[in-house]
Amino acid sequence: MSAPTLAPDPATSISDGDDETHLVCCRPELSLCGLDVGDYPWSAEHADPTCVVCRDLEQQTCPRCGL
């Protein structure tokens, strides 16, 4: 399991344990794609998201916090 770390701002990477890496922003328990990742381990520093939905949403403004 990887240690918690930050990815490119404002998103943070989280791994779902199946080698899928998701991004979170202002709600660390909810990924950008909408998956509940509250119990998932944090990914390695600067890990690229492998979730295609999170990757597509990474460059857009967060609908929850506006960052």
Side-chain angles (χ1 to χ4, degrees):
M1 303 258 163
S2 302
T5 187
L6 295 178
D9 292 332
T12 302
S13 297
I14 286 186
S15 174
D16 68 7
D18 292 326
D19 296 325
E20 185 84 359
T21 304
H22 300 273
L23 295 173
V24 298
C25 186
C26 55
R27 292 182 59 195
E29 74 281 355
L30 187 63
S31 68
L32 296 182
C33 69
L35 183 66
D36 180 359
V37 293
D39 293 329
Y40 292 178
W42 295 97
S43 295
E45 188 171 348
H46 302 296
D48 291 325
T50 56
C51 171
V52 295
V53 176
C54 286
R55 192 170 48 227
D56 287 346
L57 295 173
E58 180 178 18
Q59 300 303 320
Q60 295 182 18
T61 301
C62 176
R64 296 177 204 106
C65 71
L67 293 179

